[in-house]
mmCIF file of all heavy atoms in Angstrom:
data_model
loop_
_atom_site.group_PDB
_atom_site.id
_atom_site.type_symbol
_atom_site.label_atom_id
_atom_site.label_comp_id
_atom_site.label_asym_id
_atom_site.label_seq_id
_atom_site.Cartn_x
_atom_site.Cartn_y
_atom_site.Cartn_z
ATOM 1 N N MET A 278 -153.305 25.935 199.514
ATOM 2 C CA MET A 278 -153.558 25.325 198.214
ATOM 3 C C MET A 278 -152.299 25.220 197.433
ATOM 4 O O MET A 278 -152.377 24.748 196.253
ATOM 5 C CB MET A 278 -154.541 26.371 197.495
ATOM 6 C CG MET A 278 -154.988 25.841 196.278
ATOM 7 S SD MET A 278 -156.919 26.038 196.375
ATOM 8 C CE MET A 278 -157.444 25.585 194.928
ATOM 9 N N SER A 279 -151.217 25.599 198.019
ATOM 10 C CA SER A 279 -149.985 25.482 197.145
ATOM 11 C C SER A 279 -149.388 24.069 197.157
ATOM 12 O O SER A 279 -148.629 23.791 196.338
ATOM 13 C CB SER A 279 -148.905 26.316 197.863
ATOM 14 O OG SER A 279 -148.601 25.915 199.125
ATOM 15 N N ARG A 280 -149.996 23.199 197.858
ATOM 16 C CA ARG A 280 -149.480 21.757 197.868
ATOM 17 C C ARG A 280 -150.144 20.998 196.669
ATOM 18 O O ARG A 280 -149.598 20.081 196.203
ATOM 19 C CB ARG A 280 -149.914 20.958 199.160
ATOM 20 C CG ARG A 280 -149.236 21.474 200.412
ATOM 21 C CD ARG A 280 -149.534 20.709 201.568
ATOM 22 N NE ARG A 280 -148.808 21.145 202.772
ATOM 23 C CZ ARG A 280 -149.105 20.669 203.898
ATOM 24 N NH1 ARG A 280 -149.916 19.793 204.117
ATOM 25 N NH2 ARG A 280 -148.459 21.219 205.023
ATOM 26 N N ARG A 281 -151.180 21.418 196.236
ATOM 27 C CA ARG A 281 -151.914 20.754 195.153
ATOM 28 C C ARG A 281 -151.177 20.706 193.823
ATOM 29 O O ARG A 281 -150.964 19.594 193.289
ATOM 30 C CB ARG A 281 -153.346 21.369 194.911
ATOM 31 C CG ARG A 281 -154.155 20.447 193.970
ATOM 32 C CD ARG A 281 -155.576 20.977 193.830
ATOM 33 N NE ARG A 281 -156.391 19.956 193.300
ATOM 34 C CZ ARG A 281 -157.636 20.003 193.318
ATOM 35 N NH1 ARG A 281 -158.264 20.830 194.047
ATOM 36 N NH2 ARG A 281 -158.331 18.937 192.746
ATOM 37 N N PRO A 282 -150.544 21.752 193.446
ATOM 38 C CA PRO A 282 -149.676 21.703 192.190
ATOM 39 C C PRO A 282 -148.512 20.771 192.377
ATOM 40 O O PRO A 282 -148.060 20.086 191.524
ATOM 41 C CB PRO A 282 -149.348 23.167 191.985
ATOM 42 C CG PRO A 282 -150.322 24.038 192.494
ATOM 43 C CD PRO A 282 -150.867 23.192 193.782
ATOM 44 N N ALA A 283 -147.890 20.837 193.611
ATOM 45 C CA ALA A 283 -146.808 20.080 193.849
ATOM 46 C C ALA A 283 -147.285 18.514 193.826
ATOM 47 O O ALA A 283 -146.404 17.646 193.298
ATOM 48 C CB ALA A 283 -146.145 20.361 195.200
ATOM 49 N N ALA A 284 -148.349 18.207 194.266
ATOM 50 C CA ALA A 284 -148.862 16.841 194.313
ATOM 51 C C ALA A 284 -149.074 16.318 192.774
ATOM 52 O O ALA A 284 -148.863 15.222 192.517
ATOM 53 C CB ALA A 284 -150.151 16.701 195.100
ATOM 54 N N VAL A 285 -149.631 17.171 192.005
ATOM 55 C CA VAL A 285 -149.785 16.791 190.553
ATOM 56 C C VAL A 285 -148.512 16.627 189.901
ATOM 57 O O VAL A 285 -148.252 15.691 189.129
ATOM 58 C CB VAL A 285 -150.681 17.946 189.854
ATOM 59 C CG1 VAL A 285 -150.827 17.716 188.429
ATOM 60 C CG2 VAL A 285 -152.076 18.073 190.417
ATOM 61 N N LEU A 286 -147.596 17.536 190.249
ATOM 62 C CA LEU A 286 -146.215 17.352 189.670
ATOM 63 C C LEU A 286 -145.574 16.033 190.038
ATOM 64 O O LEU A 286 -144.963 15.386 189.257
ATOM 65 C CB LEU A 286 -145.308 18.554 189.959
ATOM 66 C CG LEU A 286 -145.580 19.788 189.204
ATOM 67 C CD1 LEU A 286 -144.790 21.026 189.691
ATOM 68 C CD2 LEU A 286 -145.518 19.695 187.704
ATOM 69 N N ALA A 287 -145.706 15.748 191.345
ATOM 70 C CA ALA A 287 -145.152 14.502 191.921
ATOM 71 C C ALA A 287 -145.788 13.184 191.234
ATOM 72 O O ALA A 287 -145.073 12.358 190.884
ATOM 73 C CB ALA A 287 -145.295 14.462 193.376
ATOM 74 N N ALA A 288 -147.179 13.264 191.099
ATOM 75 C CA ALA A 288 -147.849 12.248 190.461
ATOM 76 C C ALA A 288 -147.425 12.077 188.933
ATOM 77 O O ALA A 288 -147.132 10.857 188.535
ATOM 78 C CB ALA A 288 -149.332 12.403 190.461
ATOM 79 N N LEU A 289 -147.203 13.153 188.263
ATOM 80 C CA LEU A 289 -146.791 13.068 186.980
ATOM 81 C C LEU A 289 -145.351 12.606 186.833
ATOM 82 O O LEU A 289 -145.053 11.757 185.870
ATOM 83 C CB LEU A 289 -146.846 14.411 186.165
ATOM 84 C CG LEU A 289 -148.237 15.010 185.950
ATOM 85 C CD1 LEU A 289 -148.236 16.349 185.359
ATOM 86 C CD2 LEU A 289 -148.951 14.080 184.877
ATOM 87 N N ALA A 290 -144.495 13.008 187.800
ATOM 88 C CA ALA A 290 -143.094 12.522 187.786
ATOM 89 C C ALA A 290 -143.069 10.932 187.937
ATOM 90 O O ALA A 290 -142.311 10.213 187.292
ATOM 91 C CB ALA A 290 -142.263 13.224 188.806
ATOM 92 N N LEU A 291 -143.843 10.539 188.975
ATOM 93 C CA LEU A 291 -143.885 9.066 189.246
ATOM 94 C C LEU A 291 -144.494 8.245 187.961
ATOM 95 O O LEU A 291 -143.926 7.213 187.708
ATOM 96 C CB LEU A 291 -144.785 8.795 190.465
ATOM 97 C CG LEU A 291 -144.072 9.099 191.722
ATOM 98 C CD1 LEU A 291 -145.040 8.993 192.976
ATOM 99 C CD2 LEU A 291 -142.871 8.313 191.984
ATOM 100 N N ALA A 292 -145.466 8.777 187.409
ATOM 101 C CA ALA A 292 -146.023 8.091 186.212
ATOM 102 C C ALA A 292 -145.014 8.066 185.075
ATOM 103 O O ALA A 292 -144.870 7.139 184.409
ATOM 104 C CB ALA A 292 -147.270 8.841 185.769
ATOM 105 N N GLY A 293 -144.277 9.192 184.874
ATOM 106 C CA GLY A 293 -143.325 9.266 183.847
ATOM 107 C C GLY A 293 -142.156 8.247 184.169
ATOM 108 O O GLY A 293 -141.642 7.503 183.308
ATOM 109 N N ALA A 294 -141.724 8.174 185.413
ATOM 110 C CA ALA A 294 -140.753 7.258 185.846
ATOM 111 C C ALA A 294 -141.174 5.812 185.632
ATOM 112 O O ALA A 294 -140.357 4.915 185.100
ATOM 113 C CB ALA A 294 -140.302 7.502 187.281
ATOM 114 N N ALA A 295 -142.452 5.520 185.890
ATOM 115 C CA ALA A 295 -142.989 4.179 185.595
ATOM 116 C C ALA A 295 -142.846 3.807 184.089
ATOM 117 O O ALA A 295 -142.507 2.693 183.800
ATOM 118 C CB ALA A 295 -144.309 4.134 186.145
ATOM 119 N N LEU A 296 -143.271 4.752 183.358
ATOM 120 C CA LEU A 296 -143.225 4.548 181.893
ATOM 121 C C LEU A 296 -141.825 4.490 181.390
ATOM 122 O O LEU A 296 -141.470 3.556 180.526
ATOM 123 C CB LEU A 296 -143.907 5.625 181.062
ATOM 124 C CG LEU A 296 -145.388 5.802 181.280
ATOM 125 C CD1 LEU A 296 -145.964 6.976 180.728
ATOM 126 C CD2 LEU A 296 -146.143 4.505 180.729
ATOM 127 N N LEU A 297 -140.886 5.214 181.858
ATOM 128 C CA LEU A 297 -139.555 5.106 181.403
ATOM 129 C C LEU A 297 -138.707 3.758 181.845
ATOM 130 O O LEU A 297 -137.961 3.258 181.111
ATOM 131 C CB LEU A 297 -138.686 6.316 181.876
ATOM 132 C CG LEU A 297 -139.007 7.682 181.199
ATOM 133 C CD1 LEU A 297 -138.256 8.826 181.882
ATOM 134 C CD2 LEU A 297 -138.839 7.596 179.820
ATOM 135 N N THR A 298 -139.113 3.262 182.972
ATOM 136 C CA THR A 298 -138.457 2.106 183.436
ATOM 137 C C THR A 298 -138.885 0.911 182.615
ATOM 138 O O THR A 298 -138.341 -0.129 182.710
ATOM 139 C CB THR A 298 -138.793 1.829 184.870
ATOM 140 O OG1 THR A 298 -140.142 1.641 185.166
ATOM 141 C CG2 THR A 298 -138.163 2.821 185.830
ATOM 142 N N ALA A 299 -139.952 0.951 181.961
ATOM 143 C CA ALA A 299 -140.560 -0.159 181.169
ATOM 144 C C ALA A 299 -139.877 -0.077 179.682
ATOM 145 O O ALA A 299 -140.071 -1.018 178.912
ATOM 146 C CB ALA A 299 -142.017 -0.097 180.997
ATOM 147 N N CYS A 300 -139.160 1.005 179.436
ATOM 148 C CA CYS A 300 -138.550 1.068 178.060
ATOM 149 C C CYS A 300 -137.020 0.966 178.120
ATOM 150 O O CYS A 300 -136.289 1.422 179.104
ATOM 151 C CB CYS A 300 -138.914 2.478 177.376
ATOM 152 S SG CYS A 300 -140.712 2.595 177.174
ATOM 153 N N GLY A 301 -136.479 0.512 177.054
ATOM 154 C CA GLY A 301 -135.056 0.575 176.844
ATOM 155 C C GLY A 301 -134.568 1.900 176.558
ATOM 156 O O GLY A 301 -135.308 2.817 176.405
ATOM 157 N N PRO A 302 -133.164 2.050 176.163
ATOM 158 C CA PRO A 302 -132.623 3.366 175.973
ATOM 159 C C PRO A 302 -133.221 3.976 174.691
ATOM 160 O O PRO A 302 -133.233 5.219 174.573
ATOM 161 C CB PRO A 302 -131.218 3.042 175.750
ATOM 162 C CG PRO A 302 -130.963 1.651 175.791
ATOM 163 C CD PRO A 302 -132.203 0.919 176.202
ATOM 164 N N ALA A 303 -133.726 3.231 173.679
ATOM 165 C CA ALA A 303 -134.175 3.793 172.429
ATOM 166 C C ALA A 303 -135.722 4.112 172.563
ATOM 167 O O ALA A 303 -136.348 4.603 171.532
ATOM 168 C CB ALA A 303 -134.033 2.900 171.282
ATOM 169 N N GLY A 304 -136.325 3.848 173.769
ATOM 170 C CA GLY A 304 -137.713 4.144 173.948
ATOM 171 C C GLY A 304 -138.649 2.912 173.498
ATOM 172 O O GLY A 304 -139.802 3.026 173.445
ATOM 173 N N HIS A 305 -137.967 1.790 173.218
ATOM 174 C CA HIS A 305 -138.716 0.619 172.826
ATOM 175 C C HIS A 305 -138.722 -0.296 173.947
ATOM 176 O O HIS A 305 -137.847 -0.320 174.730
ATOM 177 C CB HIS A 305 -138.119 -0.068 171.552
ATOM 178 C CG HIS A 305 -138.062 0.869 170.381
ATOM 179 N ND1 HIS A 305 -139.156 1.238 169.726
ATOM 180 C CD2 HIS A 305 -137.005 1.481 169.849
ATOM 181 C CE1 HIS A 305 -138.816 1.930 168.638
ATOM 182 N NE2 HIS A 305 -137.465 2.233 168.699
ATOM 183 N N PRO A 306 -139.780 -1.131 174.044
ATOM 184 C CA PRO A 306 -139.701 -1.973 175.233
ATOM 185 C C PRO A 306 -138.504 -2.885 175.218
ATOM 186 O O PRO A 306 -138.082 -3.421 174.166
ATOM 187 C CB PRO A 306 -140.997 -2.980 174.906
ATOM 188 C CG PRO A 306 -141.944 -2.160 174.131
ATOM 189 C CD PRO A 306 -140.921 -1.172 173.304
ATOM 190 N N ALA A 307 -137.884 -3.010 176.322
ATOM 191 C CA ALA A 307 -136.636 -3.702 176.618
ATOM 192 C C ALA A 307 -136.664 -5.157 176.167
ATOM 193 O O ALA A 307 -135.726 -5.552 175.516
ATOM 194 C CB ALA A 307 -136.208 -3.539 177.932
ATOM 195 N N SER A 308 -137.758 -5.775 176.399
ATOM 196 C CA SER A 308 -137.751 -7.305 175.998
ATOM 197 C C SER A 308 -138.729 -7.604 174.961
ATOM 198 O O SER A 308 -138.918 -8.750 174.749
ATOM 199 C CB SER A 308 -138.020 -8.069 177.373
ATOM 200 O OG SER A 308 -139.485 -7.810 177.795
ATOM 201 N N GLY A 309 -139.211 -6.548 174.372
ATOM 202 C CA GLY A 309 -140.252 -6.817 173.258
ATOM 203 C C GLY A 309 -141.665 -6.869 173.873
ATOM 204 O O GLY A 309 -142.578 -6.442 173.221
ATOM 205 N N ALA A 310 -141.934 -7.429 174.962
ATOM 206 C CA ALA A 310 -143.244 -7.433 175.681
ATOM 207 C C ALA A 310 -142.970 -7.425 177.210
ATOM 208 O O ALA A 310 -142.008 -8.290 177.724
ATOM 209 C CB ALA A 310 -143.930 -8.711 175.259
ATOM 210 N N ALA A 311 -143.622 -6.621 177.856
ATOM 211 C CA ALA A 311 -143.456 -6.373 179.310
ATOM 212 C C ALA A 311 -143.996 -7.720 179.922
ATOM 213 O O ALA A 311 -145.049 -8.290 179.646
ATOM 214 C CB ALA A 311 -144.276 -5.261 179.782
ATOM 215 N N ASP A 312 -143.192 -8.225 180.759
ATOM 216 C CA ASP A 312 -143.599 -9.455 181.613
ATOM 217 C C ASP A 312 -144.516 -9.022 182.737
ATOM 218 O O ASP A 312 -144.648 -7.891 183.067
ATOM 219 C CB ASP A 312 -142.361 -10.363 181.941
ATOM 220 C CG ASP A 312 -141.533 -9.624 183.053
ATOM 221 O OD1 ASP A 312 -141.803 -8.474 183.385
ATOM 222 O OD2 ASP A 312 -140.470 -10.255 183.357
ATOM 223 N N SER A 313 -145.091 -9.967 183.398
ATOM 224 C CA SER A 313 -146.058 -9.640 184.359
ATOM 225 C C SER A 313 -145.537 -8.906 185.550
ATOM 226 O O SER A 313 -146.128 -8.013 186.153
ATOM 227 C CB SER A 313 -146.827 -10.831 184.836
ATOM 228 O OG SER A 313 -145.933 -11.904 185.539
ATOM 229 N N SER A 314 -144.236 -9.137 185.962
ATOM 230 C CA SER A 314 -143.532 -8.545 187.031
ATOM 231 C C SER A 314 -143.416 -7.023 186.775
ATOM 232 O O SER A 314 -143.487 -6.179 187.548
ATOM 233 C CB SER A 314 -142.230 -9.123 187.519
ATOM 234 O OG SER A 314 -141.408 -8.971 186.421
ATOM 235 N N GLN A 315 -143.068 -6.710 185.404
ATOM 236 C CA GLN A 315 -142.954 -5.360 185.052
ATOM 237 C C GLN A 315 -144.258 -4.573 185.093
ATOM 238 O O GLN A 315 -144.296 -3.465 185.451
ATOM 239 C CB GLN A 315 -142.374 -5.195 183.575
ATOM 240 C CG GLN A 315 -140.887 -5.444 183.601
ATOM 241 C CD GLN A 315 -140.375 -5.451 182.136
ATOM 242 O OE1 GLN A 315 -141.065 -5.872 181.173
ATOM 243 N NE2 GLN A 315 -139.120 -5.029 181.921
ATOM 244 N N VAL A 316 -145.279 -5.188 184.746
ATOM 245 C CA VAL A 316 -146.675 -4.601 184.608
ATOM 246 C C VAL A 316 -147.010 -4.394 186.065
ATOM 247 O O VAL A 316 -147.647 -3.259 186.369
ATOM 248 C CB VAL A 316 -147.627 -5.593 183.905
ATOM 249 C CG1 VAL A 316 -149.119 -5.100 184.117
ATOM 250 C CG2 VAL A 316 -147.283 -5.704 182.382
ATOM 251 N N GLN A 317 -146.854 -5.345 186.980
ATOM 252 C CA GLN A 317 -147.163 -5.183 188.373
ATOM 253 C C GLN A 317 -146.315 -4.018 189.019
ATOM 254 O O GLN A 317 -146.950 -3.248 189.793
ATOM 255 C CB GLN A 317 -147.002 -6.430 189.188
ATOM 256 C CG GLN A 317 -147.959 -7.532 188.722
ATOM 257 C CD GLN A 317 -147.673 -8.832 189.532
ATOM 258 O OE1 GLN A 317 -146.629 -8.992 190.090
ATOM 259 N NE2 GLN A 317 -148.611 -9.823 189.440
ATOM 260 N N ASP A 318 -145.205 -3.871 188.751
ATOM 261 C CA ASP A 318 -144.236 -2.912 189.280
ATOM 262 C C ASP A 318 -144.821 -1.508 188.723
ATOM 263 O O ASP A 318 -144.874 -0.572 189.622
ATOM 264 C CB ASP A 318 -142.801 -3.066 188.819
ATOM 265 C CG ASP A 318 -141.911 -2.089 189.377
ATOM 266 O OD1 ASP A 318 -142.040 -1.967 190.657
ATOM 267 O OD2 ASP A 318 -141.034 -1.420 188.758
ATOM 268 N N MET A 319 -145.076 -1.468 187.442
ATOM 269 C CA MET A 319 -145.606 -0.125 186.975
ATOM 270 C C MET A 319 -146.989 0.182 187.660
ATOM 271 O O MET A 319 -147.280 1.309 187.993
ATOM 272 C CB MET A 319 -145.758 -0.083 185.486
ATOM 273 C CG MET A 319 -144.494 -0.178 184.717
ATOM 274 S SD MET A 319 -144.588 -0.399 182.999
ATOM 275 C CE MET A 319 -146.058 0.140 182.422
ATOM 276 N N GLN A 320 -147.870 -0.848 187.766
ATOM 277 C CA GLN A 320 -149.150 -0.611 188.476
ATOM 278 C C GLN A 320 -148.925 -0.100 189.918
ATOM 279 O O GLN A 320 -149.647 0.871 190.348
ATOM 280 C CB GLN A 320 -149.972 -1.885 188.454
ATOM 281 C CG GLN A 320 -151.338 -1.619 188.966
ATOM 282 C CD GLN A 320 -152.105 -0.616 188.136
ATOM 283 O OE1 GLN A 320 -152.253 -0.729 186.902
ATOM 284 N NE2 GLN A 320 -152.802 0.336 188.755
ATOM 285 N N HIS A 321 -147.986 -0.661 190.683
ATOM 286 C CA HIS A 321 -147.787 -0.257 192.008
ATOM 287 C C HIS A 321 -147.197 1.233 192.024
ATOM 288 O O HIS A 321 -147.642 2.085 192.861
ATOM 289 C CB HIS A 321 -146.698 -1.110 192.675
ATOM 290 C CG HIS A 321 -147.164 -2.425 193.030
ATOM 291 N ND1 HIS A 321 -148.174 -2.847 193.935
ATOM 292 C CD2 HIS A 321 -146.856 -3.679 192.585
ATOM 293 C CE1 HIS A 321 -148.427 -3.942 194.004
ATOM 294 N NE2 HIS A 321 -147.587 -4.595 193.239
ATOM 295 N N LYS A 322 -146.390 1.565 191.026
ATOM 296 C CA LYS A 322 -145.990 3.016 190.960
ATOM 297 C C LYS A 322 -146.951 3.975 190.634
ATOM 298 O O LYS A 322 -147.119 4.943 191.278
ATOM 299 C CB LYS A 322 -144.883 3.121 189.837
ATOM 300 C CG LYS A 322 -143.449 2.432 190.394
ATOM 301 C CD LYS A 322 -142.502 2.504 189.213
ATOM 302 C CE LYS A 322 -141.191 1.822 189.642
ATOM 303 N NZ LYS A 322 -140.167 1.788 188.652
ATOM 304 N N LEU A 323 -147.932 3.576 189.783
ATOM 305 C CA LEU A 323 -149.072 4.346 189.422
ATOM 306 C C LEU A 323 -149.963 4.562 190.543
ATOM 307 O O LEU A 323 -150.594 5.564 190.873
ATOM 308 C CB LEU A 323 -149.736 3.928 188.151
ATOM 309 C CG LEU A 323 -148.960 4.049 186.852
ATOM 310 C CD1 LEU A 323 -149.693 3.352 185.713
ATOM 311 C CD2 LEU A 323 -148.771 5.448 186.571
ATOM 312 N N ASP A 324 -150.203 3.410 191.243
ATOM 313 C CA ASP A 324 -151.153 3.470 192.462
ATOM 314 C C ASP A 324 -150.527 4.401 193.553
ATOM 315 O O ASP A 324 -151.223 5.105 194.232
ATOM 316 C CB ASP A 324 -151.304 1.981 193.073
ATOM 317 C CG ASP A 324 -152.147 1.196 192.153
ATOM 318 O OD1 ASP A 324 -152.925 1.723 191.311
ATOM 319 O OD2 ASP A 324 -152.199 -0.079 192.370
ATOM 320 N N ALA A 325 -149.169 4.334 193.701
ATOM 321 C CA ALA A 325 -148.461 5.152 194.732
ATOM 322 C C ALA A 325 -148.630 6.541 194.309
ATOM 323 O O ALA A 325 -148.869 7.438 195.171
ATOM 324 C CB ALA A 325 -147.010 4.720 194.866
ATOM 325 N N ALA A 326 -148.530 6.838 193.036
ATOM 326 C CA ALA A 326 -148.748 8.266 192.656
ATOM 327 C C ALA A 326 -150.136 8.854 192.800
ATOM 328 O O ALA A 326 -150.301 9.911 193.287
ATOM 329 C CB ALA A 326 -148.258 8.406 191.083
ATOM 330 N N ASP A 327 -151.064 7.984 192.558
ATOM 331 C CA ASP A 327 -152.429 8.335 192.745
ATOM 332 C C ASP A 327 -152.750 8.561 194.195
ATOM 333 O O ASP A 327 -153.426 9.500 194.594
ATOM 334 C CB ASP A 327 -153.504 7.239 192.219
ATOM 335 C CG ASP A 327 -154.937 7.496 192.146
ATOM 336 O OD1 ASP A 327 -155.141 8.750 191.935
ATOM 337 O OD2 ASP A 327 -155.601 6.645 192.535
ATOM 338 N N SER A 328 -152.247 7.617 195.073
ATOM 339 C CA SER A 328 -152.319 7.834 196.511
ATOM 340 C C SER A 328 -151.836 9.092 197.003
ATOM 341 O O SER A 328 -152.374 9.803 197.890
ATOM 342 C CB SER A 328 -151.851 6.639 197.233
ATOM 343 O OG SER A 328 -151.917 6.634 198.546
ATOM 344 N N ALA A 329 -150.550 9.426 196.476
ATOM 345 C CA ALA A 329 -149.957 10.594 196.983
ATOM 346 C C ALA A 329 -150.715 11.840 196.659
ATOM 347 O O ALA A 329 -150.870 12.826 197.361
ATOM 348 C CB ALA A 329 -148.451 10.694 196.390
ATOM 349 N N ALA A 330 -151.303 11.871 195.370
ATOM 350 C CA ALA A 330 -151.992 12.930 194.871
ATOM 351 C C ALA A 330 -153.338 13.091 195.692
ATOM 352 O O ALA A 330 -153.724 14.160 196.160
ATOM 353 C CB ALA A 330 -152.322 12.792 193.389
ATOM 354 N N SER A 331 -153.994 11.964 196.006
ATOM 355 C CA SER A 331 -155.096 12.040 196.875
ATOM 356 C C SER A 331 -154.935 12.552 198.316
ATOM 357 O O SER A 331 -155.715 13.320 198.875
ATOM 358 C CB SER A 331 -155.785 10.597 196.910
ATOM 359 O OG SER A 331 -156.250 10.135 195.648
ATOM 360 N N GLN A 332 -153.790 12.063 198.801
ATOM 361 C CA GLN A 332 -153.408 12.536 200.125
ATOM 362 C C GLN A 332 -153.149 14.090 200.128
ATOM 363 O O GLN A 332 -153.489 14.812 201.009
ATOM 364 C CB GLN A 332 -152.098 11.781 200.652
ATOM 365 C CG GLN A 332 -151.753 12.189 202.074
ATOM 366 C CD GLN A 332 -152.803 11.826 203.077
ATOM 367 O OE1 GLN A 332 -153.348 10.698 203.056
ATOM 368 N NE2 GLN A 332 -153.092 12.750 203.996
ATOM 369 N N ALA A 333 -152.359 14.612 199.041
ATOM 370 C CA ALA A 333 -152.114 16.023 199.009
ATOM 371 C C ALA A 333 -153.332 16.811 198.926
ATOM 372 O O ALA A 333 -153.524 17.856 199.446
ATOM 373 C CB ALA A 333 -151.164 16.210 197.838
ATOM 374 N N ASP A 334 -154.396 16.261 197.992
ATOM 375 C CA ASP A 334 -155.605 16.951 197.927
ATOM 376 C C ASP A 334 -156.363 17.004 199.290
ATOM 377 O O ASP A 334 -156.941 18.041 199.725
ATOM 378 C CB ASP A 334 -156.582 16.160 196.945
ATOM 379 C CG ASP A 334 -156.272 16.451 195.569
ATOM 380 O OD1 ASP A 334 -155.457 17.455 195.315
ATOM 381 O OD2 ASP A 334 -156.672 15.707 194.606
ATOM 382 N N SER A 335 -156.307 15.890 200.034
ATOM 383 C CA SER A 335 -156.959 15.832 201.408
ATOM 384 C C SER A 335 -156.299 16.804 202.335
ATOM 385 O O SER A 335 -156.945 17.546 203.099
ATOM 386 C CB SER A 335 -156.803 14.388 201.872
ATOM 387 O OG SER A 335 -157.443 14.284 203.172
ATOM 388 N N ASP A 336 -154.899 16.799 202.299
ATOM 389 C CA ASP A 336 -154.246 17.795 203.111
ATOM 390 C C ASP A 336 -154.523 19.264 202.773
ATOM 391 O O ASP A 336 -154.602 20.021 203.641
ATOM 392 C CB ASP A 336 -152.684 17.473 202.988
ATOM 393 C CG ASP A 336 -152.156 16.167 203.657
ATOM 394 O OD1 ASP A 336 -153.017 15.580 204.306
ATOM 395 O OD2 ASP A 336 -151.103 15.803 203.364
ATOM 396 N N ALA A 337 -154.511 19.489 201.461
ATOM 397 C CA ALA A 337 -154.874 20.854 201.076
ATOM 398 C C ALA A 337 -156.306 21.228 201.451
ATOM 399 O O ALA A 337 -156.558 22.282 201.947
ATOM 400 C CB ALA A 337 -154.776 21.059 199.646
ATOM 401 N N ALA A 338 -157.200 20.387 201.452
ATOM 402 C CA ALA A 338 -158.604 20.570 201.869
ATOM 403 C C ALA A 338 -158.631 20.929 203.346
ATOM 404 O O ALA A 338 -159.386 21.719 203.900
ATOM 405 C CB ALA A 338 -159.569 19.508 201.435
ATOM 406 N N ALA A 339 -157.861 20.086 204.169
ATOM 407 C CA ALA A 339 -157.771 20.369 205.554
ATOM 408 C C ALA A 339 -157.104 21.588 205.836
ATOM 409 O O ALA A 339 -157.500 22.316 206.892
ATOM 410 C CB ALA A 339 -156.963 19.168 206.233
ATOM 411 N N ASP A 340 -156.101 22.029 205.134
ATOM 412 C CA ASP A 340 -155.439 23.234 205.416
ATOM 413 C C ASP A 340 -156.298 24.486 205.151
ATOM 414 O O ASP A 340 -156.293 25.495 205.778
ATOM 415 C CB ASP A 340 -154.217 23.389 204.604
ATOM 416 C CG ASP A 340 -153.038 22.516 205.082
ATOM 417 O OD1 ASP A 340 -153.189 22.063 206.194
ATOM 418 O OD2 ASP A 340 -152.089 22.297 204.302
ATOM 419 N N ASP A 341 -157.262 24.268 204.183
ATOM 420 C CA ASP A 341 -158.179 25.386 203.817
ATOM 421 C C ASP A 341 -159.153 25.659 204.949
ATOM 422 O O ASP A 341 -159.834 26.769 204.902
ATOM 423 C CB ASP A 341 -158.855 24.996 202.495
ATOM 424 C CG ASP A 341 -157.933 25.170 201.242
ATOM 425 O OD1 ASP A 341 -156.935 25.867 201.473
ATOM 426 O OD2 ASP A 341 -158.171 24.707 200.261
ATOM 427 N N ASN A 342 -159.486 24.672 205.591
ATOM 428 C CA ASN A 342 -160.440 24.777 206.711
ATOM 429 C C ASN A 342 -159.922 25.259 207.901
ATOM 430 O O ASN A 342 -159.361 25.845 208.457
ATOM 431 C CB ASN A 342 -161.084 23.405 207.060
ATOM 432 C CG ASN A 342 -161.915 22.805 205.887
ATOM 433 O OD1 ASN A 342 -162.540 23.622 205.134
ATOM 434 N ND2 ASN A 342 -162.127 21.628 205.832
#
């Protein structure tokens, strides 16, 4: 069960990184509005974080059995 907290932390780190890459140094959007490639990139990062968390949950469940 020790993998689950690590997976949650990893998912949060990836989501945070996705949000930070969309912002400039002052925390404001770099170009005023995110273009579609930035939105797609952020969505891919969030999907990857979700997938990693799901896989970690699955692994933890298998380890418990």
Side-chain angles (χ1 to χ4, degrees):
M278 193 127 174
S279 63
R280 291 184 184 177
R281 189 174 195 158
V285 171
L286 289 175
L289 289 173
L291 285 172
L296 291 173
L297 289 175
T298 58
C300 295
H305 300 289
S308 65
D312 64 4
S313 64
S314 65
Q315 286 177 322
V316 171
Q317 288 175 350
D318 185 48
M319 287 177 24
Q320 185 63 50
H321 288 299
K322 289 177 183 179
L323 290 173
D324 290 344
D327 187 40
S328 177
S331 295
Q332 184 63 44
D334 283 343
S335 182
D336 290 347
D340 288 345
D341 287 342
N342 292 331

